[in-house]
């Protein structure tokens, strides 16, 4: 039974829901778990089966890390360039100062003072070497090393104290190491990397927290609503925003409202259909009783008149009329029974009385019952049933009704001089085939579905040359389906028709001989 609509009072009121049309209940703002609804039997790759958070993390985190790494590289490159420039400037200034200090002692050839001035350069931890040459290039004094991959060298001419640059007295070269600069850059790199990592973590957390509140939460709410819709509830989602997600939520709520209205209309239509079906059943039951009672009387009295049970009627025409009345009444009773049976089958109220029975006896009794009719129609009726045929588990009366209807149609639509036969065959898969064939007028393959429909007639009502209501084959098909049997019709116009009823193996019972 459908679940009734939930009331809005089931949940506390929400400001965003005020002013809306009352209807299905709203989804509370609670965590609803993963957003990965998996279909039964669905096989997903790892990426396809990951949650939306994981997919966004796989996109956002690498991009953010790459951007921060590029920023770190740019900052450290700029810091290294500034450090090298600063180190070179300091080396140049230091060398210029010492050159001015060496000008007078070098002119006076004051060796102790020259050595003392040059040695003072060693007090700077970044200066790893110095060398003083005279104007001829002869070594005067120096210390340390002047070459290396981490060395910056600055060379200046020592000028004359009076004539200055026009009279050079010598040349001073100072070597400054980059080790301290590299250490400083390493410390700055670690500090900046740690700061950027912390900042990146905070940014990623802020981004995902924002997504959690602005994207994932309404998505979870809609997922929960969809799960409840599967249980025939019709909740709406409380979410107010003016972005694309808000438009999606609004469209979802409109869809839920439409579904709720459609479900209510369908439920009302179903109740109306059930009421109509009950009324039809009651009507058919009443009609069955009201028609069968007078029909039985008509059949009984006409049979009495036809057999002249209480004396001669006085004229052969009276006897013929009584026979016509009996035949017509019998035909009408058969039509009523077919209509009632088909109605019960359609309503699912038809019950089978199933038990094992002999197929050969059933076929023989049906053939014997229809033999007089076949003889009257100038047709040859044959049976072909192999010996030691297994028993069939089912409703024998309904199987007889299937065979009688098929034989009746075969006799009805076969011209005088034709043949009608009924046969049984065992199948390799353990099932059994019941076959009814004829050499009658046949029908086109495209007409077979119409013949299987209730009240279906291949010929038009005005031009039809054979009586019948078109209920025989629909009843045959219904009884076959109730026995899990397959009905197959092979027919060609002017050639004939072969109808095969295939019963599955679980309907067959072996018999000990």
């Amino acid at each position: 039974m459908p679940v009734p609509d939930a009331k809005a009072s089931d949940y506390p009121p929400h400001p965003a829901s005020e002013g809306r049309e009352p209807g299905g209940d709203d989804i509370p703002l609670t965590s609803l778990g993963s957003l990965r609804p998996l279909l039964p039997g669905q096989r997903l790759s790892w990426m396809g089966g990951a949650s939306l958070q994981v997919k966004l993390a796989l996109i956002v985190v690498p991009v953010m890390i790459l951007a921060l790494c590029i920023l770190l590289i740019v900052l450290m490159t700029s810091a290294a360039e500034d450090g090298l420039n600063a180190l070179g400037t300091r080396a140049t200034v230091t060398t210029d100062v010492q050159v001015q200090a060496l000008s007078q002692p070098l002119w006076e050839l004051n060796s102790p003072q020259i050595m003392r001035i040059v040695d003072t350069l060693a007090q700077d931890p970044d200066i790893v070497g110095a060398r003083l040459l005279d104007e001829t290039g002869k070594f005067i004094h120096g210390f340390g090393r002047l070459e290396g991959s981490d060395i910056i060298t600055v060379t200046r001419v020592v000028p004359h104290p009076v004539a200055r640059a026009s009279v050079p007295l010598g040349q001073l070269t100072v070597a400054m190491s980059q080790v301290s600069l590299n250490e400083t850059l390493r410390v700055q790199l670690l500090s900046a990397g740690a700061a950027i990592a912390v900042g990146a973590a905070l940014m990623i957390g802020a981004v995902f927290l924002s997504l959690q509140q602005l994207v994932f939460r309404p998505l979870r709410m809609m997922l929960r609503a969809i799960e409840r819709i599967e249980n025939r509830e019709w909740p709406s989602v409380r979410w107010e925003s003016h972005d694309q997600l808000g438009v999606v939520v609004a469209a979802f709520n409109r869809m839920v409202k439409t579904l709720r209205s459609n479900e209510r209309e369908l439920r009302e239509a179903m109740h109306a259909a059930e009421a109509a079906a009950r009324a039809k059943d009651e009507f058919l039951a009443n009609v069955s009783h009201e028609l069968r009672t007078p029909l039985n009387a008509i059949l009984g009295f006409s049979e009495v008149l036809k057999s002249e049970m209480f004396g001669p009627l006085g004229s052969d025409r009276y006897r013929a009329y009584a026979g016509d009345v009996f035949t017509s009444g019998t035909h009408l009773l058969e039509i009523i029974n077919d209509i009632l049976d088909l109605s019960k089958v359609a309503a699912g109220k038809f019950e089978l009385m199933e038990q094992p029975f002999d197929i050969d006896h059933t076929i023989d009794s049906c053939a014997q019952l229809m033999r007089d009719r076949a003889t009257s129609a100038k047709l040859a009726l044959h049976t072909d049933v192999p010996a030691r045929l297994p028993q069939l588990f089912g409703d024998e009366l309904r199987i007889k009704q299937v065979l009688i209807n098929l034989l009746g149609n075969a006799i009805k639509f076969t011209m005088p001089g034709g043949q009608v036969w009924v046969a049984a065959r065992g199948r390799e898969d353990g099932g059994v085939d019941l076959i009814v064939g004829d050499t009658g007028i046949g029908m086109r393959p495209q007409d077979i579905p119409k013949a299987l429909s209730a009240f279906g007639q291949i010929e038009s009502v005005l031009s039809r040359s054979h009586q019948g209501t078109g209920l025989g084959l629909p009843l045959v098909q219904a009884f076959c389906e109730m026995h899990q049997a397959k009905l197959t019709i092979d027919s060609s116009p002017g050639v004939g028709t072969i109808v095969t009823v295939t019963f599955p193996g679980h309907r067959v019972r072996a018999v000990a001989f």
Side-chain angles (χ1 to χ4, degrees), residues 241-263:
S241 64
H242 300 287
D243 54 8
Q244 290 85 346
L245 190 58
V247 175
V248 172
V249 172
F252 176 82
N253 289 334
R254 290 195 301 270
M255 180 192 70
V256 171
K257 183 177 179 181
T258 302
L259 290 175
R260 185 191 308 125
S261 176
N262 292 342
E263 193 271 344

Side-chain angles (χ1 to χ4, degrees), residues 142-158:
F143 65 89
R145 59 189 178 90
L146 300 178
E147 296 179 354
S149 60
D150 57 345
I151 298 296
I152 296 177
T153 59
V154 176
T155 301
R156 289 290 185 269
V157 175
V158 180

